[in-house]
């Protein structure tokens, strides 16, 4: 997966305009425009780095003459104290871009690290880790890119990608069978249908209606294991709902195909990176 450069530039422009507004009072009044400086990004923890090119683009947009050396690229493992990136350019540009660049690379690296951790926890099982649509408005491309950088997979990107019957859809449509039957008459042959189920009776109904993917919502690992036996390969099974690093292994060992985790994007801890300028 690669990031759309137009999207990245527009996002950075919005962030810089929000942060700088019409001037940087401290930098513009203190630092001569021609002064040159050096900067470096340093990891303050162990994890997976992500967003190096995005951070670089912040400085390029502020100073077209900036020079750089990439020491760690997206997807690389870093240890506390590792240098990620070196910069050489106008000191004012380095100072003005520091916070925006750090905000982006720290957030993306936090997601990549969380995704990598989750994948390591289910190693040796059939399960794959996936994200959800629980992303921050405007940041979905960055967040889903970071998930993949960490080694996990993307769920549907938006509402146009697939039909997903959540509990409210099912209740509004008069049940699982009615909902799937109606959708089948409308959607094209490339569109899959996923159904959220809350118990084994709903699972059986979704199987009888030939759902492509069935979500096991907030079920215990023991109940998921029964669901796997009942399904017997007739549909892809996705586990979701409140899954943590402490419970993820038991969920994976139930035999499900996918484990989707909203926390990868909606509440991830930023990865600690510092920028030092001289």
């Amino acid at each position: 997966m690669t990031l759309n450069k137009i999207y990245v530039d527009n996002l950075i422009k919005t962030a810089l305009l929000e942060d700088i507004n019409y001037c940087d009072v401290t930098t513009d009044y203190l630092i001569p425009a021609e002064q040159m400086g050096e900067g470096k990004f340093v990891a303050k923890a162990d994890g997976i780095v992500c967003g190096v090119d995005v951070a670089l683009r912040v400085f390029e947009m502020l100073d077209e003459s900036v020079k750089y050396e990439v020491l760690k690229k997206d997807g690389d493992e870093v240890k506390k104290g590792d240098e990620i990136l070196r910069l050489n350019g106008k000191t004012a540009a380095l100072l003005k871009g520091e916070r925006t660049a750090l905000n982006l690379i720290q957030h993306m690296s936090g997601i990549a690290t969380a995704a990598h951790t989750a994948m390591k926890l289910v190693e040796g099982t059939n399960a794959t880790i996936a994200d959800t649509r629980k992303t921050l408005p405007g940041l979905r491309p960055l967040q889903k890119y970071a998930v993949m950088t960490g080694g996990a997979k993307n769920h549907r990107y938006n509402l146009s990608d697939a039909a997903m019957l959540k509990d409210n859809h099912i209740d509004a449509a008069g049940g699982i069978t009615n909902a799937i039957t109606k959708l089948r008459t409308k959607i094209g042959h490339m569109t899959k249908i996923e159904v959220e189920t809350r118990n084994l009776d709903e699972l059986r109904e979704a199987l009888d209606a030939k759902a492509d993917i069935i979500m096991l919502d907030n079920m215990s690992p023991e109940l998921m294991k029964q669901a796997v036996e009942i399904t017997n390969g007739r549909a892809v099974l996705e586990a979701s709902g409140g899954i943590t690093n402490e419970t993820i292994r038991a969920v994976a060992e139930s035999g499900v195909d996918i484990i989707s985790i909203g926390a990868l994007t909606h509440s991830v801890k930023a990865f600690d990176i510092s920028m030092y300028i001289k």
Side-chain angles (χ1 to χ4, degrees), residues 175-190:
I176 291 172
T177 303
N178 285 344
I180 293 178
T181 301
K182 187 171 183 178
L183 276 173
R184 289 288 184 205
T185 67
K186 304 284 186 179
I187 61 175
H189 68 287
M190 296 292 286

Side-chain angles (χ1 to χ4, degrees), residues 191-257:
T191 304
K192 292 186 176 182
I193 297 175
E194 177 168 5
V195 179
E196 178 183 289
T197 61
R198 295 161 284 194
N199 53 58
L200 296 183
D201 287 338
E202 290 184 348
L203 168 75
R204 292 186 180 94
E205 184 178 356
L207 286 170
D208 289 342
K210 295 183 169 50
D212 300 298
I213 308 147
I214 299 174
M215 177 188 289
L216 310 177
D217 186 44
N218 283 295
M219 293 188 189
S220 67
E222 293 74 26
L223 208 57
M224 290 180 192
K225 190 172 183 179
Q226 292 181 52
V228 170
E229 293 171 355
I230 293 168
T231 301
N232 194 27
R234 288 180 287 168
V236 173
L237 291 181
E238 174 187 338
S240 188
I243 297 167
T244 67
N245 285 349
E246 289 68 40
T247 61
I248 193 171
R249 184 73 192 185
V251 172
E253 289 176 345
S254 71
V256 296
D257 302 293

Side-chain angles (χ1 to χ4, degrees), residues 39-56 68-87 105 108-109 112-113 145 149 271-274:
K40 62 180 180 180
F41 278 48
V42 179
K44 305 298 289 293
D46 299 347
I48 305 296
V49 69
C50 181
V52 175
D53 289 342
V54 175
L56 268 175
Y68 57 85
E69 180 182 3
V70 175
L71 303 173
K72 298 289 183 180
K73 64 182 184 301
D74 286 2
D76 284 351
E77 290 193 41
V78 294
K79 299 292 185 182
K80 182 178 180 179
D82 284 351
E83 284 190 52
I84 298 169
L85 175 66
R86 293 175 185 165
L87 298 157
I105 194 173
M108 294 175 71
S109 296
T113 299
Y145 168 81
T149 299
F271 185 74
D272 196 0
I273 299 172
S274 288

Side-chain angles (χ1 to χ4, degrees), residues 2-265:
T2 57
L3 287 167
N4 184 307
K5 292 182 179 179
I6 299 172
Y7 159 76
V8 172
D9 280 5
N10 285 339
L11 177 66
I12 292 171
K13 284 178 184 177
T14 299
L16 290 174
L17 285 171
E18 178 181 65
D19 202 32
I20 299 173
N21 199 349
Y22 63 93
C23 78
D24 175 350
V25 175
T26 311
T27 301
D28 288 336
Y29 293 172
L30 184 65
I31 306 299
E34 69 278 5
Q35 180 175 320
M36 302 297 289
E38 298 175 3
K40 62 180 180 180
F41 278 48
V42 179
K44 305 298 289 293
D46 299 347
I48 305 296
V49 69
C50 181
V52 175
D53 289 342
V54 175
L56 268 175
R57 187 62 183 149
V58 173
F59 298 106
E60 288 178 332
M61 293 177 72
L62 290 166
D63 176 10
E64 293 179 350
S65 66
V66 69
K67 303 289 190 271
Y68 57 85
E69 180 182 3
V70 175
L71 303 173
K72 298 289 183 180
K73 64 182 184 301
D74 286 2
D76 284 351
E77 290 193 41
V78 294
K79 299 292 185 182
K80 182 178 180 179
D82 284 351
E83 284 190 52
I84 298 169
L85 175 66
R86 293 175 185 165
L87 298 157
N88 192 296
K90 295 175 182 176
T91 303
L94 298 181
L95 290 167
K96 289 179 181 181
E98 176 183 0
R99 186 71 267 155
T100 295
L102 281 174
N103 284 347
L104 293 169
I105 194 173
Q106 286 181 312
H107 184 60
M108 294 175 71
S109 296
I111 292 171
T113 299
H116 178 74
T117 298
M119 286 297 297
K120 295 293 285 184
L121 289 171
V122 302
E123 265 186 356
T125 71
N126 183 55
T128 295
I129 305 300
D131 55 24
T132 70
R133 282 173 42 249
K134 294 176 182 177
T135 56
L136 296 174
L139 292 183
R140 184 171 293 175
L142 289 191
Q143 293 184 310
K144 284 189 170 283
Y145 168 81
V147 166
M148 292 194 69
T149 299
K153 300 287 182 67
N154 292 153
H155 207 287
R156 59 177 178 165
Y157 191 85
N158 57 39
L159 294 173
S160 301
D161 285 346
M164 186 168 177
L165 294 166
K166 305 282 282 183
D167 52 0
N168 286 331
H169 294 102
I170 293 166
D171 294 341
I176 291 172
T177 303
N178 285 344
I180 293 178
T181 301
K182 187 171 183 178
L183 276 173
R184 289 288 184 205
T185 67
K186 304 284 186 179
I187 61 175
H189 68 287
M190 296 292 286
T191 304
K192 292 186 176 182
I193 297 175
E194 177 168 5
V195 179
E196 178 183 289
T197 61
R198 295 161 284 194
N199 53 58
L200 296 183
D201 287 338
E202 290 184 348
L203 168 75
R204 292 186 180 94
E205 184 178 356
L207 286 170
D208 289 342
K210 295 183 169 50
D212 300 298
I213 308 147
I214 299 174
M215 177 188 289
L216 310 177
D217 186 44
N218 283 295
M219 293 188 189
S220 67
E222 293 74 26
L223 208 57
M224 290 180 192
K225 190 172 183 179
Q226 292 181 52
V228 170
E229 293 171 355
I230 293 168
T231 301
N232 194 27
R234 288 180 287 168
V236 173
L237 291 181
E238 174 187 338
S240 188
I243 297 167
T244 67
N245 285 349
E246 289 68 40
T247 61
I248 193 171
R249 184 73 192 185
V251 172
E253 289 176 345
S254 71
V256 296
D257 302 293
I258 301 161
I259 301 173
S260 57
I261 306 174
L264 290 179
T265 52

